[in-house]
């Protein structure tokens, strides 16, 4: 997995359109103040202008991940973990490029910063069940934050 963190001028590379050539991505943030006031739209842009940008809102910058080819369609999926000013709860977004544009591969995965501190990454291929992904999310349960992992069949 390749990671590009906001603020480090790193670009995330991968074959996001499945044409055999690596592209790179970078993030642009618009209308977002230091306290997350405004629209706070984060746009993921691509070096290959044929790939449409992907806008996530609300999101104040964040971290991009090349998740590899999670759904075996020949393209690398993108993960995005947004920064936010007011909470430790953040969704982890997973997108795949289809013929009609960017689509969520799975529903946004609820995560808490505890999950990240414990190095429990939100998504990966299930090594025991072909075509499945292991989704690890954070839940508020019994007055505590619990990490729950489930194997999910991709359609």
């Amino acid at each position: 997995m390749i990671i590009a963190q906001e603020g480090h001028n790193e670009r995330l590379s991968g074959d996001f359109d499945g044409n055999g050539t690596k592209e790179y991505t970078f993030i642009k943030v618009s209308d977002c103040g230091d306290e997350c006031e405004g629209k706070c739209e984060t746009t993921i842009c691509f070096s290959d202008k044929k790939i449409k940008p992907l806008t996530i809102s609300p999101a104040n910058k964040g971290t991009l991940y090349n998740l590899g080819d999670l759904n075996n369609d020949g393209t690398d999926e993108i993960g995005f973990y947004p920064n936010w000013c007011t909470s430790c709860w953040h969704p982890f977004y997973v997108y795949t490029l289809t013929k009609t544009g960017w689509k969520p591969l799975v529903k946004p995965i609820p995560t808490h910063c505890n999950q990240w501190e414990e190095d429990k990454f939100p998504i990966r291929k299930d090594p025991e069940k072909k075509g499945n992904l292991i989704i690890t999310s954070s839940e508020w349960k019994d007055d505590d934050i619990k990490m729950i992992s489930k194997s999910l069949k991709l359609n």
Side-chain angles (χ1 to χ4, degrees):
M1 171 181 3
I2 303 166
I3 303 169
Q5 290 184 322
E6 172 277 321
H8 295 151
N9 289 330
E10 291 182 33
R11 295 176 175 177
L12 180 71
S13 69
D15 186 5
F16 302 108
D17 61 2
N19 68 358
T21 302
K22 295 243 184 227
E23 301 83 36
Y24 68 85
T25 68
F26 54 95
I27 294 173
K28 289 183 181 178
V29 178
S30 61
D31 191 23
C32 199
D34 290 340
E35 299 298 318
C36 293
E37 67 275 356
K39 280 187 188 174
C40 291
E41 291 182 328
T42 295
T43 302
I44 302 169
C45 302
F46 296 85
S47 58
D48 182 340
K49 299 299 179 211
K50 291 182 224 146
I51 301 175
K52 282 182 160 178
L54 170 63
T55 300
I56 301 167
S57 180
N60 182 21
K61 304 175 188 163
T63 305
L64 286 172
Y65 295 85
N66 178 336
L67 301 173
D69 188 3
L70 293 174
N71 60 356
N72 301 315
D73 69 349
T75 67
D76 290 337
E77 275 65 60
I78 287 181
F80 180 70
Y81 181 63
N83 289 346
W84 200 243
C85 303
T86 59
S87 174
C88 223
W89 288 96
H90 302 283
F92 183 77
Y93 298 97
V94 179
Y95 291 96
T96 188
L97 186 60
T98 68
K99 289 182 171 112
T100 58
W102 289 102
K103 303 282 184 220
L105 183 66
V106 296
K107 291 178 186 172
I109 302 166
T111 67
H112 188 270
C113 50
N114 290 3
Q115 178 175 337
W116 294 91
E117 289 165 5
E118 292 181 28
D119 207 18
K120 307 259 186 205
F121 199 75
I123 192 166
R124 62 186 168 91
K125 282 187 173 183
D126 188 332
E128 296 175 15
K129 293 183 183 174
K130 187 176 176 144
N132 280 32
L133 299 173
I134 295 180
I135 306 292
T136 302
S137 62
S138 300
E139 292 181 13
W140 180 256
K141 193 174 185 177
D142 301 326
D143 291 331
D144 199 7
I145 298 161
K146 309 279 188 196
M147 266 70 69
I148 312 292
S149 292
K150 296 178 185 172
S151 183
L152 172 76
K153 178 86 174 147
L154 274 180
N155 295 334

